[in-house]
Amino acid sequence: MADEPLVLGIETSCDETGVGVVRGHTLLADAIASSVDEHARYGGVVPEVASRAHLEAMVPTVQRALAEAGVRAQDLDGIAVTAGPGLAGALLVGVSAAKAYAYALGKPLYGVNHLASHICVDQLEHGPLPEPTMALLVSGGHSSLLLAPDITSDVRPLGATIDDAAGEAFDKVARVLGLGFPGGPVIDRYARDGDPEAIAFPRGLTGGKDPRYDFSFSGLKTAVARWVEARRRDGQDVPVADVAASFQEAVADVLTRKAVRACKDNGVDHLMIGGGVAANSRLRAMAQRRCEDAGIRLRVPRPGLCTDNGAMVAALGAEMVARGRSASSLELPADSSLPVTEVSVPGPGPAADGPAHGGTHGHGHAGQHTHGHGPGHGHQHTHDHVHELSKENLYG
């Protein structure tokens, strides 16, 4: 174990500041500082609030992770960070911090893809990923089916949401029902007392001529809203538990049906499910049953590793080091629309094997987070200056 790479991972793509420490496939620390309570009163994540929270939480969370792991920063073999996709300002905080630590410590920097990290985190619980791996990633920003022959260099998108992601639909339906934010956990809780067959909500993109692997949850969300509005207009009570259960059933049905189909079509006998919605109890149960029926082995990390965390970034970083993949430049950009086909971002210039640059410049996207990008997405960067941090300032 001592010979395996020791990597610190930083995750700031949305509203959680995550810092993890991983040695090989072993999780040593997973420290998280969440700003979800600050966003709850707005009914969703506010990018500026998230960025400020990351700034305030970054250094204490890094220190907490190192202390929990029982290692010194100088002992690390690399620093990994989510380079995208995500909220531009939030990503920039994490990327800037990672570059500062890498520069000050003289360690290689690895800018990695958020979605690929969600796949790789399963190695911390169930061991090395089979190659290829079929992954269903479901979160507030993404609903994607991905085929990964090599998690460090080759991730292929098979399908994605064409509108609302699954987690986004959970949040919007929870708002319609007056259940608050975030919607996933509260709908899951109410659904346990409801009848999943009480209301026949639609299953989007499941017709014979529809795309085999793409997802659509906007119509489902609208159908739920109209059903609830009609009940209220007629002066009838809304059976919240039944609505939650029926909505959740529709989401889980579509996700698992398409994921199992993708495994069969591509001759893959493993399915990995990741992302925040993978913590949903009904999705897990339905996936387990359908995978068993199809002879497919299901891999789902424990709920704490499904949501955004630094451990998943560290896991992918450790795999990059172990396989000798190129490190990123200290010119690493924060790319809010980074396509999943870019597992890592070497960036322009030489790899960051040590403090070879007098200063660093981050490249961030103007605008907000966009979802569901596939191959061929064009990138347009603006420049944000990141002030150099001396070793004395960082460690004094």
Side-chain angles (χ1 to χ4, degrees):
M1 179 177 172
D3 295 332
E4 294 178 315
L6 179 66
V7 174
L8 181 142
I10 296 174
E11 155 61 26
T12 62
S13 67
C14 193
D15 61 334
E16 290 180 322
T17 308
V19 180
V21 180
V22 166
R23 188 184 293 278
H25 295 162
T26 303
L27 176 61
L28 303 182
D30 183 23
I32 294 177
S34 177
S35 61
V36 66
D37 291 342
E38 299 176 48
H39 303 283
R41 60 177 175 172
Y42 302 106
V45 176
V46 180
E48 292 80 5
V49 173
S51 299
R52 175 57 60 182
H54 289 311
L55 280 171
E56 296 173 352
M58 181 57 64
V59 173
T61 309
V62 170
Q63 293 173 340
R64 180 155 51 97
L66 291 171
E68 182 182 333
V71 301
R72 303 179 305 161
Q74 293 84 349
D75 297 331
L76 297 169
D77 296 310
I79 308 290
V81 62
T82 297
L87 299 171
L91 287 169
L92 189 60
V93 175
V95 168
S96 300
K99 289 195 283 191
Y101 280 111
Y103 178 86
L105 294 166
K107 304 294 183 180
L109 173 69
Y110 295 87
V112 299
N113 192 290
H114 178 82
L115 300 183
S117 297
H118 268 303
I119 301 174
C120 198
V121 74
D122 191 59
Q123 293 195 149
L124 303 180
E125 190 151 14
H126 299 120
L129 288 168
E131 295 181 340
T133 288
M134 184 68 69
L136 170 66
L137 297 187
V138 280
S139 67
H142 305 277
S143 296
S144 305
L145 271 171
L146 306 169
L147 181 65
D150 183 337
I151 192 56
T152 64
S153 63
D154 186 6
V155 177
R156 306 171 189 178
L158 300 181
T161 182
I162 65 171
D163 42 54
D164 290 356
E168 188 178 0
F170 269 91
D171 289 339
K172 291 179 177 178
V173 167
R175 191 179 307 151
V176 167
L177 295 173
L179 300 181
F181 175 86
V186 68
I187 285 183
D188 195 359
R189 188 166 63 249
Y190 272 87
R192 291 169 190 166
D193 296 323
D195 179 2
E197 298 181 359
I199 309 161
F201 287 132
R203 273 67 165 160
L205 295 186
T206 54
K209 296 183 180 180
D210 289 325
R212 291 181 67 79
Y213 307 134
D214 284 342
F215 302 100
S216 171
F217 296 107
S218 179
L220 171 60
K221 169 207 67 182
T222 301
V224 174
R226 288 179 176 170
W227 193 93
V228 171
E229 289 167 2
R231 294 278 295 195
R232 289 172 176 164
R233 187 172 56 248
D234 295 340
Q236 296 177 291
D237 291 335
V238 175
V240 174
D242 286 346
V243 173
S246 298
F247 161 76
Q248 180 175 270
E249 189 76 4
V251 173
D253 182 19
V254 173
L255 289 172
T256 57
R257 187 188 313 182
K258 294 207 171 196
V260 170
R261 176 190 295 168
C263 288
K264 290 180 177 179
D265 290 350
N266 291 273
V268 179
D269 62 358
H270 285 72
L271 173 65
M272 182 270 167
I273 303 181
V277 180
N280 180 268
S281 62
R282 182 55 182 153
L283 175 62
R284 285 171 170 256
M286 189 180 294
Q288 185 66 52
R289 176 174 57 81
R290 286 184 166 171
C291 283
E292 288 177 355
D293 291 344
I296 296 169
R297 181 182 172 188
L298 179 65
R299 295 170 56 125
V300 189
R302 62 181 180 270
L305 292 180
C306 289
T307 54
D308 292 347
N309 59 80
M312 69 186 198
V313 179
L316 183 51
E319 195 67 23
M320 300 286 290
V321 175
R323 298 196 188 194
R325 302 304 184 199
S326 298
S328 300
S329 164
L330 286 177
E331 301 291 328
L332 174 69
D335 189 341
S336 64
S337 320
L338 186 69
V340 69
T341 49
E342 293 185 33
V343 178
S344 63
V345 186
D353 292 324
H357 299 270
T360 61
H361 298 271
H363 303 276
H365 276 262
Q368 295 199 1
H369 189 189
T370 53
H371 308 294
H373 292 283
H377 177 76
H379 302 289
Q380 186 174 7
H381 300 281
T382 58
H383 296 267
D384 295 295
H385 184 68
V386 180
H387 294 289
E388 178 184 352
L389 292 177
S390 70
K391 295 181 182 179
E392 290 75 20
N393 287 338
L394 194 61
Y395 293 104

